[in-house]
Amino acid sequence: MTRYSASYAQDRAEIDDLLSRYLFAMDYNDFDTYADTFTKDGTLEFARGAVTGRDNIRAAAKGFKEAVAGIYTDVDGNPAVLRHVLCHSTIRVEGDKAWHTGMWFEMANDGPREASGRFTPTLGTFGIYEDELERVDGEWKFSYRNIRNEFLTGRESGADNPVLAMEAKAEKR
């Protein structure tokens, strides 16, 4: 049975806010805010590899978005507008450490143009976030974020329930 501390609701609200700020920063090319969602020595692991430290995370995110702009284009050849969505999340909090597992997907305006002139949205990529978080000076930050991509060989989350893997990590701490 999962047990929750008296401060769990507050911690979860703050972590949920961090998760949203992270996605808005990425989707709106705010790379400074994006990097600031990590601890100073935080690590981001994603399809292009792993980077550590805010400056490296900022540069990697910017480079990734520039590359994606050439891959996802609308019917006119312009970079598509991508928006990420976090679906369901599980968060475990133990003092100033926390673990998060959540399902994400992204949508883009790269479908065919409708009669109205608007683009048809498409559902694109999806995966799992595997996170370790720390409270630093009263704020939750990612110390480690692994972005699993269910559509990329070697980046899938696997066949087992990812929440159980998160719980096992928390138990080892």
Side-chain angles (χ1 to χ4, degrees):
M1 178 177 165
T2 303
R3 301 203 190 286
Y4 301 101
S5 70
S7 65
Y8 180 79
Q10 179 69 33
D11 290 327
R12 183 173 180 114
E14 291 173 10
I15 292 168
D16 280 340
D17 187 69
L18 174 73
L19 297 169
S20 294
R21 288 175 186 279
Y22 167 93
L23 290 175
F24 279 118
M26 174 53 84
D27 286 347
Y28 287 87
N29 301 316
D30 180 358
F31 302 113
D32 290 333
T33 298
Y34 182 87
D36 191 51
T37 63
F38 288 83
T39 60
K40 289 180 184 177
D41 61 348
T43 298
L44 170 66
E45 185 175 339
F46 68 124
R48 290 182 147 188
V51 292
T52 299
R54 286 184 183 150
D55 289 342
N56 293 328
I57 290 169
R58 181 183 302 103
K62 189 173 188 293
F64 179 75
K65 286 293 291 242
E66 289 168 355
V68 166
I71 296 169
Y72 288 98
T73 57
D74 64 25
V75 295
D76 298 328
N78 299 312
V81 175
L82 301 177
R83 296 294 184 250
H84 290 79
V85 178
L86 180 62
C87 301
H88 41 282
S89 290
T90 299
I91 299 171
R92 178 169 173 171
V93 179
E94 301 284 341
D96 289 336
K97 299 281 247 175
W99 296 262
H100 165 257
T101 296
M103 175 78 176
W104 63 269
F105 66 90
E106 60 88 20
M107 299 175 297
N109 68 338
D110 60 350
R113 193 183 300 275
E114 297 174 351
S116 66
R118 287 180 279 181
F119 295 102
T120 303
T122 60
L123 180 61
T125 59
F126 64 99
I128 300 286
Y129 290 125
E130 299 173 343
D131 300 318
E132 296 175 26
L133 303 103
E134 292 179 22
R135 189 183 346 245
V136 178
D137 297 328
E139 288 187 84
W140 286 103
K141 303 281 186 181
F142 297 108
S143 57
Y144 174 77
R145 169 159 264 208
N146 186 6
I147 304 172
R148 295 284 185 185
N149 306 86
E150 299 297 347
F151 53 93
L152 294 177
T153 302
R155 296 295 307 152
E156 313 93 329
S157 63
D160 297 329
N161 180 348
V163 174
L164 299 178
M166 178 196 77
E167 293 290 350
K169 275 186 170 181
E171 293 297 326
K172 285 182 184 178
R173 86 171 187 101

